[in-house]
Amino acid sequence: MSDYETKPNTDLALNEGDTAYLYSQFPQIAEALIWPELVEAFRLHEDQARKLKTGSRRNSFASIVLIVMSLTLTMVATATPFAPLVEGQPVVAHAMSIAALLLLFGAILLGKGVLFGRKRDNWLKNRLIAERLRHLHFQYILANLHHMCSKSSVAKSRYFDKRAKELERVLKRLRNRGYRQAVLGDEVLQEARLVDARQIDHSSLDQECLEELQRYWIEFRFNWQAEYATQQLDRKPSALPLFGSLADQEHTVSTLEFIATLGIVVLQTVAVLAQLFVGPLSIEVQIAVLLASLLAVASVGLQAYKDGMGLSDDLSRNRVYASYTAKLVRDFRVAQEKGDGSGQIRIMQEMEDLAYFETREFLYTHSTARFSF
């Protein structure tokens, strides 16, 4: 029994063992499925995107924490219960003010670098190029299916003849400074097709080769994309997972928001009761109001993080993507049962349009995301 396990980007045969698996499962078409030059270009932009994303997320989280800490320190320093301590110790008051100011400056610097600086733009640029290269891999197969599965060995060789030129042409387009903006403004999906497709006479194709391609497409395009999106919707069994899928992160932030809101309601109730039974200026009222205010700041910080990271939008987008991909799989299998070759190709091309649409929506979400307090 094989101990081979798939890893991220196995759909591009990027990892050790991927090539051997393709030759084992799809021997007739494996050579055409492996595109070393594209993988090399993809790896370059994928690595850059991952590194920049990690830095952006870390800075974003730190920026939110610093703002919350700055506001918390300011509220504590100006709160009535702490007035005797602050007024009697001018050095403490000045230290707290300077600390709050430094925390705020740090938050602004980090936030500016993430939301309006070069780091976020470079992350999105590299993420877009990497995903578009993934699209090119599958679109090139569809566009050259008549060569890939031809009964003629001469025609088959043509499949490889123009790959280098196509990759060079597409990379030049993707790396153009204005390409990200072109995708952001692409309301009618004009940029979806990187390679022009053509009508195919299925009777002229090698049916055994075509059958392998269909199995490959179901495993590495339809199911692969659906499973990735579904993984983002799965939650860990732990109560508050800080890392993991989008669903994990969104659940954690939403739960903490709920706890903060519940705490505010409880503290507000305590403050009202203390006003009635102890006195409106009692220390109990002042402390309850202060704690409720601090929880409100924390709640706003959590909401700002969720909005700035686009967690809700990402989760919704992946839910739609997983559902529509599952529909395409069903349609594809129906077309297979009917022997409708043209219908199968049409659905495969529709999957490519859907993949581009998902990428465009991801780009739009994170290009327009803003932290707001």
Side-chain angles (χ1 to χ4, degrees):
M1 185 176 182
S2 173
D3 59 355
Y4 170 74
E5 294 182 5
T6 58
K7 298 177 181 179
N9 303 312
T10 288
D11 53 339
L12 295 179
L14 184 143
N15 307 290
E16 183 181 357
D18 293 345
T19 297
Y21 180 82
L22 291 178
Y23 273 104
S24 170
Q25 297 296 315
F26 315 101
Q28 292 209 39
I29 63 173
E31 185 179 3
L33 300 177
I34 300 167
W35 193 344
E37 297 80 10
L38 181 140
V39 168
E40 183 181 354
F42 173 86
R43 194 194 302 272
L44 172 66
H45 292 285
E46 174 74 0
D47 291 346
Q48 283 293 316
R50 285 179 178 274
K51 183 170 64 175
L52 289 165
K53 177 184 177 181
T54 300
S56 295
R57 291 298 170 93
R58 185 187 299 117
N59 287 354
S60 299
F61 181 77
S63 178
I64 293 292
V65 170
L66 291 178
I67 290 178
V68 170
M69 289 176 61
S70 177
L71 291 172
T72 299
L73 196 58
T74 301
M75 293 176 68
V76 169
T78 56
T80 303
F82 295 93
L85 174 64
V86 174
E87 291 174 357
Q89 300 288 337
V91 175
V92 174
H94 287 306
M96 294 178 71
S97 298
I98 293 173
L101 187 61
L102 291 176
L103 289 170
L104 182 59
F105 281 157
I108 292 173
L109 289 174
L110 289 175
K112 179 178 182 295
V114 172
L115 294 178
F116 308 107
R118 190 173 299 172
K119 180 175 289 188
R120 187 195 68 169
D121 290 345
N122 284 341
W123 164 47
L124 292 176
K125 181 188 74 174
N126 281 281
R127 179 79 271 151
L128 175 62
I129 294 174
E131 289 308 312
R132 293 261 62 197
L133 286 172
R134 194 193 308 274
H135 300 164
L136 173 62
H137 173 77
F138 292 96
Q139 289 185 23
Y140 186 84
I141 293 173
L142 284 180
N144 293 275
L145 189 58
H146 56 296
H147 290 146
M148 180 180 182
C149 290
S150 173
K151 297 176 181 178
S152 166
S153 57
V154 175
K156 281 187 175 181
S157 66
R158 293 174 184 166
Y159 178 87
F160 301 95
D161 290 344
K162 59 179 182 178
R163 281 204 317 190
K165 287 186 178 180
E166 286 285 9
L167 178 59
E168 184 180 17
R169 176 186 64 80
V170 171
L171 274 175
K172 183 176 183 296
R173 170 68 173 147
L174 299 182
R175 290 169 175 170
N176 185 285
R177 286 186 177 182
Y179 186 70
R180 185 164 72 94
Q181 190 58 45
V183 173
L184 283 172
D186 187 14
E187 300 289 345
V188 294
L189 308 185
Q190 288 182 336
E191 292 287 335
R193 303 288 173 87
L194 294 167
V195 184
D196 293 331
R198 55 172 287 178
Q199 293 288 349
I200 299 172
D201 178 12
H202 287 265
S203 62
S204 66
L205 300 178
D206 183 321
Q207 294 304 304
E208 191 173 343
C209 172
L210 190 59
E211 186 274 334
E212 276 195 9
L213 179 64
Q214 291 167 352
R215 287 193 296 109
Y216 168 79
W217 214 268
I218 289 175
E219 180 176 352
F220 282 102
R221 198 52 175 159
F222 290 131
N223 290 346
W224 190 269
Q225 292 296 301
E227 287 169 6
Y228 174 80
T230 302
Q231 287 171 4
Q232 299 304 310
L233 305 177
D234 286 342
R235 284 210 306 107
K236 290 184 177 70
S238 57
L240 292 174
L242 296 177
F243 306 101
S245 68
L246 290 170
D248 288 333
Q249 298 174 52
E250 200 274 342
H251 170 74
T252 298
V253 174
S254 296
T255 301
L256 291 174
E257 279 187 293
F258 173 77
I259 293 172
T261 302
L262 183 62
I264 291 171
V265 172
V266 171
L267 289 167
Q268 182 64 20
T269 302
V270 170
V272 171
L273 292 176
Q275 281 183 317
L276 293 174
F277 296 103
V278 182
L281 300 179
S282 65
I283 190 65
E284 290 83 1
V285 172
Q286 295 172 10
I287 291 177
V289 170
L290 173 61
L291 292 176
S293 300
L294 295 178
L295 285 178
V297 169
S299 180
V300 171
L302 289 167
Q303 184 62 49
Y305 179 79
K306 184 160 66 172
D307 290 345
M309 293 296 97
L311 293 181
S312 297
D313 289 339
D314 279 349
L315 200 60
S316 176
R317 188 185 69 255
N318 276 277
R319 185 177 292 112
V320 172
Y321 189 56
S323 298
Y324 203 100
T325 302
K327 172 192 176 298
L328 291 180
V329 174
R330 293 194 299 271
D331 292 346
F332 186 79
R333 294 193 182 279
V334 170
Q336 273 187 313
E337 292 173 1
K338 293 180 178 179
D340 182 3
S342 298
Q344 292 173 51
I345 297 299
R346 176 185 57 78
I347 295 166
M348 293 161 82
Q349 291 172 339
E350 189 174 351
M351 180 67 226
E352 296 315 299
D353 291 339
L354 175 63
Y356 170 73
F357 176 75
E358 191 277 337
T359 298
R360 180 193 171 278
E361 290 302 293
F362 166 85
L363 185 67
Y364 180 82
T365 294
H366 291 279
S367 293
T368 57
R370 292 290 183 272
F371 294 124
S372 58
F373 274 83

